[in-house]
Amino acid sequence: MSGLLELQRRVAAAVMHPLTRQETMPRRRKDGASNQSEADAIIKPNDRLSSFERLEIYNRQYWFRLYSCFEEDFPGLMAIVGRKKFDALMRAYLTEIPSTSFSLRNLGSQLEHWLREHVEFIEARTELALDMVRIEWAHIEAFDSAAEPLLDPDDLASVNEDSHLHLQPYLRLLKLHYPVDDLIIEVRSESGSSDSSSNNASVARKRRTVHRVAQLEPEDIHLAVHRHDNAVYYKQLGREDYQLLSALIAGESIGTAIDSAFEGSALPEDERVPFLQTAFQTWASLGWFIK
Amino acid sequence: MPANRFNGFTEYGVGIGLRIPHYRHILSRKPVVDWFEIISENYMVDGGRPLEVLDQILEQYNVVQHGVSMYFGSASAPDPEHLKRLKRLVKRTKTPWLSDHLCWGSVDGRYTHDLLPMPYTWEAVKVTAERIRHVQDFLEIPVVVENVSSYAEYHVSEMTEWEFLNEVVERADCGILLDVNNIYVSSQNHSFDPFTYVNAVPADRIAQIHIAGHSKFEKYILDTHDHPVLEPVWQLYARTIERAGPTATLLEWDDNIPSFEDVHAEALKANQFLHAAAKPAAPEFAEVAK
């Protein structure tokens, strides 16, 4: 092994190791290794800082940067589980799933999967918390995923039941157990409007969110997370809309997708054609169909 | 050097970093700005507002790309997806040169998202120079490397930071983005004379200069980019311009970002040094007679 690679592995192991509860570098790592000895072996001290203190600057910077990014991406999850539990799950997740991307944008990409295997962090409101993580991740993806050129109206008019329609890559469909769309809008608007000059107002808003979370009753909803004029929107869908769009995204023909939409549907036969006309017109006007 | 092969033979003046809080002001007021520097990674996405804003900026302004996660000094190989996305963005912006840091930050596919200092060893010189050449060949534009600020030094180092920088750029045959604030921060943290560093750098390879503010703590200085440029940093800037001539200059302000006007006004203070350096020397009498 090269000396450079070995040194970088040793420094990374120290820098990426979790901080103590006091946000300092631990003297001893979880595996028993001494950070003090590692720092002394690798880093020169100077007349003001020991080797340990110099390495600690990087250890703290690493975690503070990740905390900041993660908190910015998942304010809704924090509102649901509370600050203390959120901190615990954030540290555990980031320790187990360090970034493997050049972009911090992807930091939370494994969070839903990880939480399903670590429900102890969200056990009081498991389904609600998972729904919130799903909508928050869908928001990130809808924000900067590709937008492809729209299907011409003439092409759309000429489709038949054997045709295949393609949908915008930024469109995300969610089937949720709680109406978290309103909640996340409220949380985001609060965090966006809070400022240090109005402490009383901030406290009042925080109480309102906590109250809203506590009151939120389960309700199955279907949601499209999409983008219009570069802003992300949440559009509630009917069960039939959701099944139809899901089938189209899965690559089914229009005929098969329509069959899938009405499978077990309570929609009366005579309302199905007008339903389809309205649905396709709406989605075309939102720019969801692409070439 | 006003224009050289490391900055695509451009003569850019004083620019500022393109930051989200200033988007609205820039797009609506269209202020006169010599050029903007963008953080490449913020625009290496597939669509949405970042790219739309970038395209509007590109219609009106010169844009130069600055990266934060290429990690030329990492022992592990670069991520091909990163390079592919970067090249796509280079084609979009037509950046005349591209900069990133002389540091490392990832190992075995795990990213620290920090600019970690290099061990100044001969092995690191070789690895880093090869990486820069590889990236430059792939991107097909001049690549320049920026010195980072640091808070730690390694026992294994075999040379000074400026000797390491010089060896790397010579072997990679690339330009330098000289960050004079980073030199000042490191000089205070490691107790060396910052002018020794500035005077040792090959002036003909300086493609761009960074200026920024920093924060002083009890036992060390942190490169925070959240203050105006301090006097010792202006002095290093003046010396660099004296050696290299008028050079593309960029003010970095990344935290506690004030209004666009305040950031731009701070950046434009660089003009007093640039104009002084650009002023031709008084002609000799004999030349006037001719």
Side-chain angles (χ1 to χ4, degrees):
Chain A
M1 192 201 310
S2 80
L4 181 64
L5 180 59
E6 187 196 351
L7 178 115
Q8 292 183 348
R9 282 180 175 160
R10 288 172 71 181
V11 173
V15 167
M16 299 169 86
H17 189 279
L19 299 170
T20 64
R21 285 184 186 282
Q22 291 72 42
E23 311 292 10
T24 58
M25 185 160 82
R27 295 280 157 188
R28 202 162 281 283
R29 295 184 198 163
K30 283 179 179 169
D31 63 3
S34 164
N35 266 330
Q36 183 76 59
S37 320
E38 269 298 85
D40 288 343
I42 299 170
I43 307 290
K44 284 184 194 173
N46 68 7
D47 56 350
R48 288 153 285 163
L49 294 166
S50 66
S51 303
F52 182 92
E53 288 169 324
R54 297 184 106 183
L55 189 56
E56 186 181 43
I57 294 172
Y58 288 101
N59 187 206
R60 284 161 57 91
Q61 276 193 168
Y62 169 77
W63 284 100
F64 293 166
R65 180 173 291 112
L66 262 53
Y67 292 164
S68 165
C69 181
F70 191 85
E71 287 172 12
E72 198 174 305
D73 287 350
F74 298 101
L77 178 62
M78 196 201 292
I80 289 169
V81 301
R83 176 86 239 185
K84 204 173 166 185
K85 282 187 178 171
F86 182 83
D87 282 353
L89 83 81
M90 172 170 70
R91 285 159 203 248
Y93 171 74
L94 294 173
T95 302
E96 274 190 47
I97 316 282
S99 172
T100 55
S101 165
F102 62 86
S103 171
L104 280 165
R105 178 259 195 213
N106 299 319
L107 202 57
S109 62
Q110 308 295 314
L111 184 58
E112 182 195 348
H113 177 76
W114 183 85
L115 278 174
R116 287 188 187 282
E117 294 179 347
H118 296 83
V119 287
E120 67 274 18
F121 289 105
I122 49 173
E123 58 193 356
R125 307 299 300 267
T126 304
E127 287 301 333
L128 176 60
L130 285 172
D131 277 0
M132 183 56 84
V133 169
R134 293 179 68 204
I135 197 172
E136 293 193 299
W137 180 247
H139 185 110
I140 290 168
E141 294 213 295
F143 176 72
D144 62 13
S145 290
E148 300 294 342
L150 304 188
L151 190 65
D152 292 332
D154 290 347
D155 291 338
L156 189 59
S158 64
V159 297
N160 59 44
E161 64 175 22
D162 295 324
S163 306
H164 289 78
L165 282 171
H166 303 286
L167 291 135
Q168 288 289 7
Y170 59 70
L171 179 66
R172 295 289 180 279
L173 302 178
L174 298 174
K175 189 176 176 182
L176 304 168
H177 305 291
Y178 283 85
V180 287
D181 47 341
D182 288 342
L183 184 58
I184 187 59
I185 289 168
E186 190 173 334
V187 169
R188 281 186 186 276
S189 69
E190 283 175 11
S191 58
S193 63
S194 66
D195 61 73
S196 55
S197 63
S198 58
N199 286 335
N200 290 336
S202 297
V203 169
R205 284 196 296 269
K206 194 175 174 186
R207 282 194 186 130
R208 206 164 59 226
T209 303
V210 170
H211 183 70
R212 279 268 289 145
V213 170
Q215 296 288 312
L216 205 62
E217 293 291 331
E219 176 194 340
D220 284 348
I221 63 164
H222 300 88
L223 213 59
V225 182
H226 68 113
R227 196 168 77 217
H228 192 68
D229 285 343
N230 288 323
V232 175
Y233 292 91
Y234 311 128
K235 180 174 172 53
Q236 288 221 3
L237 302 171
R239 175 189 165 279
E240 289 79 9
D241 299 288
Y242 175 84
Q243 291 193 182
L244 178 49
L245 286 165
S246 298
L248 290 174
I249 287 176
E252 301 290 357
S253 66
I254 293 176
T256 308
I258 290 172
D259 289 345
S260 161
F262 295 131
E263 212 172 87
S265 172
L267 200 66
E269 288 284 345
D270 60 342
E271 292 180 21
R272 292 183 179 186
V273 171
F275 159 80
L276 288 170
Q277 284 171 339
T278 306
F280 277 89
Q281 277 170 7
T282 304
W283 301 336
S285 69
L286 288 169
W288 291 0
F289 296 124
I290 58 172
K291 289 179 180 169
Chain B
M1 300 297 120
N4 59 30
R5 66 188 175 100
F6 304 111
N7 59 25
F9 298 100
T10 55
E11 291 198 34
Y12 285 10
V14 178
I16 61 171
L18 180 65
R19 301 293 180 261
I20 293 171
H22 296 157
Y23 278 0
R24 187 170 296 173
H25 178 95
I26 296 164
L27 295 176
S28 61
R29 305 277 183 86
K30 300 180 175 50
V32 175
V33 183
D34 291 348
W35 58 289
F36 284 109
E37 185 183 77
I38 61 164
I39 302 296
S40 299
E41 286 77 1
N42 292 347
Y43 302 91
M44 286 158 64
V45 293
D46 293 324
R49 186 164 183 248
L51 290 182
E52 188 176 286
V53 170
L54 177 61
D55 287 343
Q56 291 177 54
I57 296 288
L58 286 167
E59 284 174 14
Q60 315 240 3
Y61 297 99
N62 290 320
V63 167
V64 175
Q65 281 181 230
H66 178 57
V68 293
S69 59
M70 180 53 70
Y71 301 142
F72 291 124
S74 280
S76 311
D79 174 8
E81 177 65 15
H82 184 178
L83 283 173
K84 207 170 72 184
R85 283 181 176 268
L86 189 56
K87 186 158 188 175
R88 204 183 303 156
L89 187 63
V90 162
K91 285 181 177 169
R92 190 178 202 117
T93 64
K94 298 182 176 59
T95 182
W97 73 92
L98 175 140
S99 61
D100 208 313
H101 299 84
L102 186 56
C103 70
W104 69 281
S106 63
V107 66
D108 298 323
R110 294 179 172 195
Y111 286 72
T112 66
H113 299 283
D114 202 350
L115 308 172
L116 299 172
M118 294 298 298
Y120 307 130
T121 64
W122 290 107
E123 184 199 356
V125 166
K126 183 171 175 286
V127 168
T128 309
E130 279 172 7
R131 175 74 58 82
I132 295 167
R133 276 187 180 275
H134 170 70
V135 172
Q136 196 158 236
D137 289 348
F138 182 80
L139 296 178
E140 300 176 293
I141 54 162
V143 166
V144 309
V145 294
E146 177 184 354
N147 56 296
V148 297
S149 51
S150 64
Y151 318 107
E153 300 164 291
Y154 302 101
H155 288 299
V156 294
S157 286
E158 298 165 317
M159 61 194 90
T160 64
E161 183 186 336
W162 51 94
E163 287 167 345
F164 179 78
L165 170 66
N166 293 353
E167 287 292 338
V168 168
V169 296
E170 282 296 327
R171 291 192 189 203
D173 192 21
C174 70
I176 298 169
L177 191 181
L178 198 68
D179 189 317
V180 287
N181 178 58
N182 286 349
I183 291 178
Y184 181 75
V185 168
S186 294
S187 76
Q188 298 304 296
N189 290 337
H190 308 315
S191 304
F192 64 78
D193 177 4
F195 286 95
T196 303
Y197 194 137
V198 168
N199 289 331
V201 170
D204 59 346
R205 287 190 181 272
I206 299 176
Q208 183 192 334
I209 302 171
H210 267 174
I211 49 176
H214 55 256
S215 298
K216 198 164 183 176
F217 295 91
E218 191 188 340
K219 293 181 176 178
Y220 61 96
I221 292 184
L222 208 56
D223 180 28
T224 46
H225 296 183
D226 60 352
H227 284 81
V229 181
L230 294 168
E231 184 51 30
V233 177
W234 282 124
Q235 287 173 17
L236 290 175
Y237 178 70
R239 176 59 187 149
T240 305
I241 293 297
E242 197 175 271
R243 293 190 66 236
T247 304
T249 299
L250 189 289
L251 171 70
E252 293 182 297
W253 202 315
D254 297 315
D255 217 347
N256 300 325
I257 301 175
S259 71
F260 174 86
E261 287 94 342
D262 287 351
V263 173
H264 197 207
E266 182 66 16
L268 291 177
K269 289 178 185 171
N271 270 330
Q272 60 183 301
F273 303 99
L274 294 171
H275 292 161
K279 203 178 288 177
E284 296 289 328
F285 180 74
E287 283 182 273
V288 175
K290 267 189 257 178

